[in-house]
Coordinates of all heavy atoms in Angstrom, one line a residue:
M1 N -3.6 14.7 1.6 CA -2.4 14.3 0.7 C -2.7 12.9 0.4 O -2.8 12.0 1.3 CB -1.1 14.6 1.4 CG 0.0 13.7 0.6 SD 1.6 14.0 1.5 CE 1.6 12.7 2.7
A2 N -2.6 12.5 -0.8 CA -2.7 11.1 -1.3 C -1.4 10.8 -2.0 O -0.8 11.5 -2.8 CB -3.8 10.9 -2.3
I3 N -0.7 9.7 -1.5 CA 0.4 9.2 -2.1 C 0.2 8.1 -3.1 O -0.8 7.3 -2.9 CB 1.5 8.8 -1.0 CG1 1.0 7.7 -0.1 CG2 2.0 10.0 -0.3 CD1 2.0 7.1 0.8
Q4 N 1.1 7.9 -4.1 CA 0.9 6.8 -5.0 C 2.0 5.8 -4.6 O 3.2 6.1 -4.6 CB 1.2 7.3 -6.3 CG 1.1 6.1 -7.3 CD 1.3 6.5 -8.8 OE1 1.3 7.7 -9.0 NE2 1.3 5.5 -9.7
I5 N 1.6 4.5 -4.2 CA 2.6 3.4 -3.9 C 3.1 3.0 -5.4 O 2.4 2.8 -6.3 CB 1.9 2.4 -3.2 CG1 1.2 2.9 -1.9 CG2 2.9 1.1 -3.0 CD1 2.0 3.3 -1.0
T6 N 4.4 2.9 -5.5 CA 5.0 2.6 -6.7 C 5.8 1.3 -6.7 O 6.2 0.9 -7.7 CB 6.1 3.8 -7.1 OG1 7.1 3.9 -6.0 CG2 5.2 5.1 -7.2
A7 N 6.3 0.7 -5.5 CA 6.9 -0.4 -5.5 C 6.8 -1.1 -4.1 O 6.5 -0.3 -3.1 CB 8.4 -0.2 -5.8
V8 N 7.1 -2.4 -4.0 CA 7.0 -3.0 -2.8 C 8.2 -4.1 -2.5 O 8.8 -4.4 -3.5 CB 5.6 -3.8 -2.6 CG1 4.4 -2.9 -2.7 CG2 5.6 -4.8 -3.6
R9 N 8.4 -4.3 -1.3 CA 9.3 -5.5 -0.9 C 8.4 -6.5 -0.1 O 7.7 -6.2 0.8 CB 10.4 -4.9 -0.1 CG 11.3 -6.1 0.4 CD 12.5 -5.5 1.1 NE 13.4 -4.7 0.3 CZ 14.2 -3.7 0.7 NH1 14.2 -3.3 2.0 NH2 15.0 -3.0 -0.1
L10 N 8.7 -7.8 -0.4 CA 8.1 -8.8 0.3 C 9.2 -9.7 0.8 O 10.3 -9.7 0.4 CB 7.3 -9.8 -0.6 CG 5.9 -9.2 -1.2 CD1 6.1 -8.3 -2.2 CD2 5.1 -10.4 -1.8
S11 N 8.7 -10.3 2.1 CA 9.7 -11.2 2.7 C 8.9 -12.4 3.2 O 8.0 -12.3 3.8 CB 10.3 -10.3 3.9 OG 11.2 -11.2 4.7
G12 N 9.4 -13.6 2.9 CA 9.0 -14.7 3.4 C 7.7 -15.4 2.7 O 7.1 -16.3 3.2
G13 N 7.3 -14.8 1.6 CA 6.1 -15.2 0.9 C 5.8 -14.2 -0.2 O 6.5 -13.4 -0.5
T14 N 4.6 -14.6 -0.8 CA 4.3 -13.8 -2.0 C 2.9 -13.2 -1.9 O 2.2 -12.7 -2.8 CB 4.2 -14.7 -3.2 OG1 3.3 -15.8 -3.1 CG2 5.7 -15.2 -3.6
T15 N 2.3 -13.1 -0.6 CA 0.9 -12.5 -0.5 C 1.1 -11.2 0.2 O 2.1 -10.8 0.6 CB 0.0 -13.5 0.4 OG1 0.5 -13.6 1.7 CG2 -0.1 -14.9 -0.2
H16 N -0.2 -10.5 0.3 CA -0.2 -9.2 0.9 C 0.4 -9.2 2.2 O 1.0 -8.2 2.7 CB -1.6 -8.6 0.9 CG -2.3 -8.4 -0.5 ND1 -2.9 -9.4 -1.2 CD2 -2.0 -7.3 -1.3 CE1 -3.2 -8.8 -2.4 NE2 -2.7 -7.5 -2.4
Q17 N 0.2 -10.2 3.0 CA 0.7 -10.4 4.3 C 2.2 -10.1 4.5 O 2.8 -10.0 5.5 CB 0.2 -11.5 5.1 CG -1.3 -11.5 5.3 CD -2.1 -12.1 4.1 OE1 -1.7 -12.0 3.1 NE2 -3.3 -12.6 4.5
H18 N 2.9 -10.5 3.3 CA 4.4 -10.6 3.3 C 4.9 -9.2 2.7 O 6.2 -9.1 2.6 CB 4.8 -11.7 2.4 CG 4.4 -13.1 3.0 ND1 3.3 -13.8 2.5 CD2 5.0 -13.8 3.9 CE1 3.3 -14.9 3.2 NE2 4.2 -14.9 4.0
I19 N 4.2 -8.3 2.4 CA 4.7 -7.0 2.1 C 5.3 -6.3 3.3 O 4.7 -6.1 4.3 CB 3.6 -6.0 1.5 CG1 3.1 -6.7 0.1 CG2 4.1 -4.6 1.3 CD1 1.9 -5.8 -0.4
T20 N 6.7 -6.0 3.3 CA 7.3 -5.4 4.5 C 7.6 -3.8 4.3 O 7.8 -3.2 5.3 CB 8.5 -6.2 4.7 OG1 9.5 -6.0 3.6 CG2 8.2 -7.6 5.1
R21 N 7.7 -3.5 3.1 CA 8.1 -2.1 2.8 C 7.5 -1.6 1.5 O 7.3 -2.4 0.6 CB 9.6 -2.1 2.6 CG 10.1 -0.6 2.8 CD 11.7 -0.5 3.2 NE 12.0 0.7 3.7 CZ 11.9 1.2 5.1 NH1 11.4 0.2 6.0 NH2 12.2 2.4 5.4
L22 N 7.1 -0.3 1.5 CA 6.5 0.2 0.3 C 7.1 1.4 -0.2 O 7.5 2.4 0.8 CB 5.0 0.6 0.6 CG 4.2 -0.8 1.0 CD1 4.0 -0.8 2.6 CD2 2.8 -0.7 0.3
W23 N 7.3 1.7 -1.4 CA 7.9 3.0 -1.9 C 6.7 3.8 -2.5 O 5.8 3.3 -3.0 CB 8.8 2.7 -3.0 CG 10.2 2.3 -2.4 CD1 11.2 3.0 -2.4 CD2 10.6 1.0 -1.9 NE1 12.4 2.4 -1.7 CE2 11.9 1.1 -1.4 CE3 10.0 -0.2 -1.7 CZ2 12.5 0.2 -0.9 CZ3 10.6 -1.2 -1.1 CH2 11.9 -1.1 -0.6
W24 N 6.8 5.1 -2.3 CA 5.7 5.9 -2.7 C 6.2 7.3 -3.2 O 7.5 7.7 -3.2 CB 4.8 6.2 -1.6 CG 5.5 6.8 -0.4 CD1 6.1 6.0 0.7 CD2 5.8 8.1 0.0 NE1 6.6 6.8 1.6 CE2 6.4 8.1 1.1 CE3 5.6 9.3 -0.5 CZ2 7.0 9.3 1.8 CZ3 6.0 10.5 -0.1 CH2 6.7 10.4 1.1
T25 N 5.3 8.0 -4.0 CA 5.6 9.4 -4.4 C 4.3 10.2 -4.1 O 3.3 9.6 -4.1 CB 5.9 9.4 -5.9 OG1 6.3 10.7 -6.2 CG2 4.8 9.0 -6.8
N26 N 4.5 11.5 -3.9 CA 3.5 12.3 -3.6 C 3.4 13.2 -4.9 O 4.1 14.1 -5.2 CB 3.6 13.3 -2.5 CG 2.4 14.3 -2.2 OD1 1.8 14.5 -3.1 ND2 2.4 14.8 -1.1
P27 N 2.3 13.0 -5.8 CA 2.4 13.6 -7.1 C 2.2 15.1 -6.9 O 2.6 15.9 -7.9 CB 1.0 13.0 -7.8 CG 0.9 11.7 -7.2 CD 1.4 11.8 -5.7
A28 N 1.6 15.6 -5.8 CA 1.3 17.0 -5.7 C 2.6 17.8 -5.3 O 2.7 18.9 -5.8 CB 0.3 17.1 -4.5
T29 N 3.6 17.2 -4.7 CA 4.7 17.9 -4.3 C 6.0 17.2 -4.9 O 7.1 17.9 -4.9 CB 5.0 17.7 -2.8 OG1 5.1 16.2 -2.5 CG2 3.8 18.2 -2.0
G30 N 5.9 16.1 -5.5 CA 7.1 15.5 -6.1 C 7.9 14.6 -5.1 O 8.9 14.1 -5.4
K31 N 7.6 14.7 -3.9 CA 8.3 14.1 -2.7 C 8.2 12.6 -2.9 O 7.2 12.1 -3.3 CB 7.8 14.5 -1.2 CG 8.6 13.8 -0.3 CD 8.0 14.4 1.1 CE 8.9 13.7 2.3 NZ 8.4 14.2 3.5
T32 N 9.3 11.8 -2.7 CA 9.2 10.4 -2.8 C 9.7 9.8 -1.3 O 10.5 10.5 -0.6 CB 10.1 9.8 -3.7 OG1 11.5 10.2 -3.6 CG2 9.7 10.4 -5.1
G33 N 9.5 8.6 -1.0 CA 10.0 8.0 0.1 C 9.6 6.5 0.3 O 9.1 6.0 -0.7
D34 N 10.0 5.9 1.3 CA 9.7 4.6 1.6 C 9.4 4.4 3.0 O 9.9 5.1 3.9 CB 10.6 3.6 1.1 CG 12.0 3.7 1.8 OD1 12.7 4.8 1.5 OD2 12.3 2.8 2.5
N35 N 8.5 3.4 3.3 CA 8.2 3.1 4.8 C 7.8 1.7 4.9 O 7.5 1.0 4.0 CB 6.8 4.0 5.1 CG 7.1 5.5 5.2 OD1 6.9 6.1 4.2 ND2 7.4 5.9 6.3
T36 N 7.8 1.3 6.2 CA 7.5 0.0 6.6 C 5.9 -0.1 6.4 O 5.2 0.7 6.3 CB 7.9 -0.5 7.9 OG1 7.1 0.4 8.9 CG2 9.3 -0.3 8.2
R37 N 5.5 -1.4 6.3 CA 4.0 -1.6 6.3 C 3.5 -1.1 7.4 O 2.4 -0.3 7.5 CB 3.8 -3.2 6.1 CG 2.3 -3.5 6.2 CD 2.1 -4.8 6.2 NE 2.7 -5.5 7.4 CZ 3.0 -6.8 7.3 NH1 2.7 -7.6 6.5 NH2 3.5 -7.4 8.6
A38 N 3.9 -1.3 8.7 CA 3.4 -0.9 10.0 C 3.3 0.6 10.0 O 2.3 1.2 10.5 CB 4.3 -1.5 11.0
Q39 N 4.3 1.4 9.5 CA 4.3 2.8 9.4 C 3.0 3.3 8.5 O 2.4 4.2 8.9 CB 5.6 3.4 8.9 CG 6.7 3.2 9.9 CD 8.0 3.6 9.3 OE1 8.3 3.5 8.1 NE2 8.9 4.3 10.0
L40 N 2.9 2.6 7.5 CA 1.8 3.2 6.5 C 0.4 2.9 7.1 O -0.5 3.5 7.0 CB 2.0 2.6 5.1 CG 3.1 3.4 4.2 CD1 3.3 2.7 2.9 CD2 2.8 4.8 4.2
V41 N 0.3 1.7 7.8 CA -0.9 1.2 8.4 C -1.3 2.3 9.5 O -2.4 2.9 9.4 CB -0.8 -0.2 9.0 CG1 -2.0 -0.4 10.0 CG2 -0.8 -1.2 8.0
T42 N -0.3 2.8 10.3 CA -0.6 3.7 11.2 C -0.8 5.1 10.6 O -1.8 5.8 11.1 CB 0.7 3.8 12.2 OG1 0.9 2.6 12.9 CG2 0.5 5.0 13.2
W43 N -0.3 5.4 9.5 CA -0.5 6.6 9.0 C -1.9 6.7 8.3 O -2.6 7.8 8.4 CB 0.6 6.9 7.8 CG 0.4 8.1 7.0 CD1 0.6 9.5 7.4 CD2 0.0 8.2 5.5 NE1 0.4 10.3 6.4 CE2 0.0 9.7 5.3 CE3 -0.4 7.3 4.7 CZ2 -0.4 10.0 4.0 CZ3 -0.7 7.8 3.3 CH2 -0.7 9.1 3.1
I44 N -2.4 5.6 7.7 CA -3.8 5.6 7.1 C -4.7 5.7 8.2 O -5.8 6.3 8.2 CB -3.8 4.3 6.2 CG1 -3.0 4.5 4.9 CG2 -5.3 4.0 5.9 CD1 -2.8 3.2 4.1
E45 N -4.5 4.8 9.4 CA -5.5 4.7 10.3 C -5.5 5.9 11.3 O -6.8 6.3 11.5 CB -5.4 3.6 11.1 CG -5.6 2.2 10.5 CD -5.6 0.9 11.3 OE1 -4.7 0.9 12.2 OE2 -6.4 0.1 11.1
D46 N -4.5 6.4 11.7 CA -4.4 7.3 12.8 C -4.3 8.7 12.2 O -4.8 9.7 12.9 CB -3.2 7.2 13.7 CG -3.3 5.9 14.4 OD1 -4.5 5.3 14.5 OD2 -2.3 5.4 15.0
E47 N -3.7 9.0 11.1 CA -3.4 10.3 10.5 C -4.5 10.5 9.3 O -4.3 11.5 8.7 CB -2.1 10.5 10.2 CG -1.2 10.4 11.4 CD 0.2 10.5 11.1 OE1 0.5 11.4 10.1 OE2 1.2 9.9 11.6
K48 N -5.4 9.5 9.0 CA -6.2 9.7 7.8 C -5.6 9.9 6.6 O -6.0 10.6 5.7 CB -7.2 10.8 8.1 CG -8.0 10.7 9.4 CD -8.8 9.5 9.6 CE -9.7 9.5 10.9 NZ -9.5 8.2 11.6
G49 N -4.5 9.3 6.4 CA -3.6 9.2 5.2 C -4.3 8.5 4.1 O -5.1 7.6 4.4
Q50 N -4.1 8.9 2.9 CA -4.7 8.1 1.7 C -3.5 7.7 0.8 O -2.6 8.5 0.5 CB -5.7 9.0 1.0 CG -6.8 9.5 1.9 CD -7.8 10.4 1.1 OE1 -7.7 10.7 -0.2 NE2 -8.7 10.9 1.8
A51 N -3.6 6.5 0.3 CA -2.8 5.9 -0.7 C -3.4 5.2 -1.7 O -4.5 4.8 -1.6 CB -1.7 5.1 0.0
Y52 N -2.9 5.1 -2.8 CA -3.4 4.4 -4.0 C -2.4 3.8 -5.0 O -1.1 4.2 -4.8 CB -4.4 5.3 -4.8 CG -3.5 6.5 -5.5 CD1 -3.2 6.4 -6.8 CD2 -3.4 7.6 -4.9 CE1 -2.5 7.4 -7.5 CE2 -2.6 8.7 -5.5 CZ -2.3 8.5 -6.8 OH -1.5 9.6 -7.4
T53 N -2.7 2.9 -5.8 CA -1.9 2.5 -6.9 C -2.6 3.0 -8.3 O -3.8 3.3 -8.2 CB -1.8 1.0 -6.9 OG1 -3.1 0.5 -7.3 CG2 -1.1 0.5 -5.6
S54 N -1.7 3.1 -9.2 CA -2.2 3.5 -10.5 C -1.6 2.6 -11.6 O -0.4 2.3 -11.6 CB -1.8 4.9 -10.7 OG -2.3 5.4 -12.1
D55 N -2.4 2.1 -12.6 CA -2.0 1.3 -13.7 C -1.5 2.3 -14.9 O -1.7 3.5 -14.8 CB -3.0 0.2 -14.1 CG -4.3 0.9 -14.6 OD1 -4.3 2.0 -15.2 OD2 -5.2 0.0 -14.8
A56 N -1.1 1.6 -16.0 CA -0.5 2.3 -17.1 C -1.6 3.3 -17.7 O -1.5 4.2 -18.4 CB 0.0 1.5 -18.1
D57 N -3.0 2.8 -17.5 CA -4.0 3.5 -18.2 C -4.6 4.7 -17.2 O -5.5 5.3 -17.5 CB -5.2 2.6 -18.5 CG -4.8 1.7 -19.5 OD1 -4.1 2.1 -20.6 OD2 -5.2 0.5 -19.5
G58 N -3.9 4.8 -16.0 CA -4.4 5.9 -15.0 C -5.5 5.4 -14.1 O -6.0 6.2 -13.3
H59 N -5.8 4.2 -14.2 CA -6.9 3.7 -13.2 C -6.3 3.5 -11.9 O -5.3 3.0 -11.6 CB -7.5 2.4 -13.8 CG -8.1 2.5 -15.1 ND1 -7.5 1.8 -16.1 CD2 -9.3 3.0 -15.5 CE1 -8.3 2.0 -17.2 NE2 -9.4 2.8 -16.8
R60 N -7.1 4.1 -10.9 CA -6.5 4.1 -9.5 C -7.2 3.0 -8.7 O -8.5 2.8 -8.9 CB -6.8 5.4 -8.8 CG -5.8 6.6 -9.3 CD -6.1 7.7 -8.4 NE -5.2 8.8 -9.0 CZ -5.1 9.9 -8.3 NH1 -5.6 10.2 -7.2 NH2 -4.2 10.8 -8.8
A61 N -6.5 2.4 -7.7 CA -7.1 1.5 -6.8 C -6.6 2.0 -5.4 O -5.5 2.2 -5.1 CB -6.7 0.1 -7.0
K62 N -7.6 2.3 -4.4 CA -7.3 2.7 -3.1 C -6.5 1.7 -2.2 O -6.9 0.5 -2.4 CB -8.6 3.1 -2.5 CG -8.5 3.6 -1.0 CD -9.8 4.0 -0.5 CE -9.6 4.4 1.1 NZ -10.9 4.8 1.7
V63 N -5.6 2.1 -1.5 CA -4.9 1.2 -0.6 C -5.7 1.2 0.7 O -5.8 2.5 1.3 CB -3.4 1.5 -0.5 CG1 -2.8 0.7 0.6 CG2 -2.7 1.5 -1.8
A64 N -6.0 0.1 1.2 CA -6.8 0.1 2.5 C -6.1 -0.9 3.5 O -5.4 -1.7 3.1 CB -8.1 -0.4 2.2
V65 N -6.5 -0.7 4.7 CA -5.9 -1.5 5.9 C -6.8 -2.6 6.0 O -8.0 -2.5 6.2 CB -5.7 -0.8 7.1 CG1 -5.3 -1.7 8.2 CG2 -4.8 0.4 6.9
V66 N -6.2 -3.9 6.0 CA -6.9 -5.2 6.4 C -6.6 -5.6 7.7 O -5.4 -5.6 8.1 CB -6.7 -6.3 5.3 CG1 -7.5 -7.6 5.6 CG2 -7.0 -5.8 3.9
T67 N -7.6 -5.9 8.6 CA -7.4 -6.3 9.9 C -7.9 -7.8 10.0 O -9.1 -8.1 10.1 CB -8.3 -5.6 10.8 OG1 -7.7 -4.1 10.7 CG2 -8.0 -6.0 12.4
P68 N -6.9 -8.7 10.0 CA -7.3 -10.1 9.9 C -7.7 -10.6 11.3 O -7.4 -10.0 12.3 CB -6.1 -10.9 9.3 CG -4.9 -10.0 9.8 CD -5.4 -8.6 9.8
P69 N -8.3 -11.8 11.3 CA -8.7 -12.2 12.8 C -7.5 -12.6 13.6 O -7.5 -12.5 14.8 CB -9.7 -13.5 12.5 CG -9.5 -13.7 11.1 CD -8.8 -12.5 10.4
H70 N -6.4 -13.1 13.0 CA -5.1 -13.4 13.5 C -3.9 -12.8 12.8 O -4.1 -12.7 11.5 CB -5.0 -14.9 13.6 CG -6.1 -15.6 14.4 ND1 -6.3 -15.5 15.6 CD2 -7.1 -16.3 13.7 CE1 -7.4 -16.2 15.9 NE2 -7.8 -16.7 14.8
G71 N -3.0 -12.3 13.4 CA -1.8 -11.7 12.7 C -1.8 -10.2 12.7 O -2.8 -9.5 13.1
E72 N -0.9 -9.6 12.0 CA -0.7 -8.3 11.9 C -1.6 -7.7 10.8 O -1.9 -8.3 9.8 CB 0.7 -7.9 11.6 CG 1.8 -8.3 12.8 CD 3.1 -8.0 12.3 OE1 3.4 -7.0 11.5 OE2 4.0 -8.6 13.0
K73 N -2.0 -6.4 10.9 CA -2.7 -5.7 9.9 C -1.8 -5.6 8.7 O -0.6 -5.5 8.8 CB -3.1 -4.3 10.4 CG -4.0 -4.2 11.6 CD -4.4 -2.9 12.0 CE -5.4 -2.9 13.0 NZ -5.7 -1.6 13.5
Y74 N -2.4 -5.6 7.5 CA -1.6 -5.4 6.3 C -2.3 -4.5 5.3 O -3.4 -4.1 5.6 CB -1.3 -6.8 5.7 CG -2.4 -7.7 5.3 CD1 -3.1 -7.6 3.8 CD2 -3.0 -8.5 6.3 CE1 -4.2 -8.3 3.7 CE2 -4.3 -9.4 5.9 CZ -4.7 -9.2 4.6 OH -5.8 -10.0 4.2
L75 N -1.8 -4.2 4.2 CA -2.4 -3.4 3.1 C -2.7 -4.2 1.9 O -2.0 -5.0 1.5 CB -1.3 -2.3 2.8 CG -1.0 -1.5 4.0 CD1 0.3 -0.5 3.4 CD2 -2.0 -0.5 4.5
Q76 N -3.8 -3.6 1.3 CA -4.4 -4.4 0.0 C -5.1 -3.2 -0.7 O -5.7 -2.3 0.1 CB -5.2 -5.5 0.4 CG -5.6 -6.4 -0.8 CD -6.2 -7.7 -0.5 OE1 -6.3 -8.0 0.6 NE2 -6.7 -8.3 -1.5
T77 N -5.2 -3.4 -2.0 CA -6.0 -2.4 -2.7 C -7.4 -2.8 -2.8 O -7.8 -4.0 -2.8 CB -5.5 -2.4 -4.1 OG1 -5.2 -3.5 -4.7 CG2 -4.2 -1.5 -4.2
H78 N -8.3 -1.8 -2.9 CA -9.8 -2.0 -2.9 C -10.3 -1.2 -4.1 O -10.1 0.1 -4.0 CB -10.4 -1.7 -1.6 CG -11.7 -2.2 -1.4 ND1 -12.8 -1.4 -1.7 CD2 -12.2 -3.4 -1.0 CE1 -13.9 -2.2 -1.3 NE2 -13.6 -3.3 -1.1
A79 N -10.8 -1.7 -5.1 CA -11.4 -0.9 -6.2 C -12.8 -1.5 -6.6 O -12.9 -2.7 -6.7 CB -10.5 -1.0 -7.5
D80 N -13.7 -0.5 -6.8 CA -15.1 -0.8 -7.3 C -15.7 -2.0 -6.4 O -16.4 -2.9 -6.8 CB -15.1 -1.4 -8.7 CG -14.4 -0.3 -9.7 OD1 -14.8 0.8 -9.5 OD2 -13.8 -0.6 -10.6
G81 N -15.4 -1.9 -5.1 CA -16.0 -2.7 -4.2 C -15.4 -4.1 -4.1 O -15.9 -5.1 -3.3
V82 N -14.3 -4.3 -4.6 CA -13.6 -5.5 -4.7 C -12.1 -5.5 -4.2 O -11.5 -4.6 -4.6 CB -13.6 -6.1 -6.1 CG1 -12.9 -7.5 -6.2 CG2 -15.0 -6.3 -6.7
W83 N -11.7 -6.4 -3.3 CA -10.3 -6.4 -3.0 C -9.5 -6.9 -4.2 O -9.9 -7.9 -4.9 CB -10.1 -7.4 -1.9 CG -10.7 -6.9 -0.6 CD1 -12.0 -7.1 0.1 CD2 -10.2 -5.8 0.2 NE1 -12.2 -6.4 1.2 CE2 -11.1 -5.5 1.4 CE3 -9.2 -4.9 0.2 CZ2 -10.9 -4.6 2.3 CZ3 -8.9 -4.0 1.2 CH2 -9.7 -3.7 2.2
T84 N -8.4 -6.2 -4.4 CA -7.6 -6.5 -5.6 C -6.1 -6.7 -5.3 O -5.6 -6.5 -4.2 CB -7.8 -5.3 -6.7 OG1 -7.2 -4.2 -6.0 CG2 -9.1 -5.1 -7.1
N85 N -5.4 -7.2 -6.3 CA -4.0 -7.5 -6.1 C -3.1 -6.5 -6.7 O -1.8 -6.8 -7.0 CB -3.6 -8.9 -6.6 CG -4.4 -9.9 -6.0 OD1 -4.5 -9.9 -4.8 ND2 -4.7 -11.0 -6.7
N86 N -3.4 -5.3 -6.8 CA -2.7 -4.1 -7.5 C -1.3 -4.0 -6.7 O -0.3 -3.8 -7.4 CB -3.4 -2.9 -7.5 CG -4.7 -3.0 -8.2 OD1 -5.5 -3.8 -8.1 ND2 -4.8 -2.0 -9.3
L87 N -1.3 -4.1 -5.5 CA 0.1 -4.0 -4.7 C 1.0 -5.0 -5.2 O 2.2 -4.9 -5.3 CB -0.2 -4.0 -3.3 CG -0.7 -2.7 -2.6 CD1 -1.0 -2.9 -1.2 CD2 0.2 -1.5 -2.8
L88 N 0.6 -6.2 -5.3 CA 1.4 -7.4 -5.8 C 1.8 -7.3 -7.1 O 2.9 -7.9 -7.5 CB 0.7 -8.7 -5.4 CG 0.2 -9.0 -4.0 CD1 -0.5 -10.3 -3.9 CD2 1.5 -9.0 -3.1
A89 N 1.2 -6.5 -7.9 CA 1.6 -6.4 -9.4 C 2.7 -5.2 -9.5 O 3.2 -5.1 -10.6 CB 0.4 -6.0 -10.1
L90 N 2.9 -4.5 -8.4 CA 4.0 -3.4 -8.6 C 5.4 -4.0 -8.7 O 5.6 -5.2 -8.2 CB 3.9 -2.6 -7.3 CG 2.7 -1.6 -7.3 CD1 2.6 -1.0 -5.9 CD2 2.4 -0.7 -8.3
P91 N 6.4 -3.2 -9.0 CA 7.8 -3.6 -9.1 C 8.3 -4.0 -7.7 O 7.6 -3.4 -6.7 CB 8.5 -2.3 -9.6 CG 7.5 -1.5 -10.4 CD 6.2 -1.8 -9.7
R92 N 9.2 -4.9 -7.6 CA 9.6 -5.4 -6.3 C 11.1 -4.7 -6.2 O 11.8 -4.6 -7.1 CB 9.7 -6.9 -6.3 CG 8.5 -7.7 -6.6 CD 7.6 -7.6 -5.5 NE 6.3 -8.2 -5.8 CZ 5.9 -9.5 -5.8 NH1 6.7 -10.4 -5.6 NH2 4.7 -9.8 -6.1
R93 N 11.3 -4.4 -4.9 CA 12.6 -3.9 -4.5 C 13.2 -4.7 -3.4 O 12.7 -5.3 -2.7 CB 12.6 -2.4 -3.9 CG 12.2 -1.4 -5.2 CD 12.6 -0.1 -4.6 NE 12.2 0.8 -5.7 CZ 12.5 2.1 -5.7 NH1 12.9 2.6 -4.6 NH2 12.2 2.9 -6.7

């Protein structure tokens, strides 16, 4: 199952590390929901979950877990071998 991330909430800053909550939809089932960053990191790493963002033209960017040398793991998009800012371009809640 791959979910599409549709919105984010940031707290205390404007970078990927500040994303605290993410809203999503499952296009296959129509189910929607929201989870904390930590919950989605665990889901992607431990349960082999897959997430992506999509732009108006339908181009997808995979959401991946970033493990920094210091601090908590966070999520960022990765497309065509390049880390991108697609999550930060999503609507904010």
Side-chain angles (χ1 to χ4, degrees):
M1 167 183 85
I3 59 171
Q4 180 180 354
I5 306 299
T6 58
V8 297
R9 176 176 294 151
L10 282 75
S11 179
T14 59
T15 64
H16 290 94
Q17 294 88 332
H18 295 100
I19 295 173
T20 59
R21 193 159 202 88
L22 300 97
W23 280 258
W24 54 268
T25 187
N26 179 339
T29 65
K31 182 177 178 182
T32 61
D34 63 287
N35 292 88
T36 66
R37 174 185 62 199
Q39 289 172 323
L40 284 179
V41 164
T42 299
W43 179 71
I44 290 169
E45 289 189 323
D46 297 345
E47 299 178 39
K48 307 299 183 226
Q50 297 179 7
Y52 66 92
T53 62
S54 183
D55 65 18
D57 295 324
H59 299 108
R60 290 185 179 190
K62 178 182 177 180
V63 175
V65 176
V66 176
T67 305
H70 305 286
E72 296 180 24
K73 294 178 180 181
Y74 60 92
L75 300 170
Q76 189 170 353
T77 48
H78 196 259
D80 299 324
V82 178
W83 291 103
T84 61
N85 292 329
N86 298 54
L87 287 173
L88 297 176
L90 292 173
R92 307 279 170 90
R93 288 198 176 184

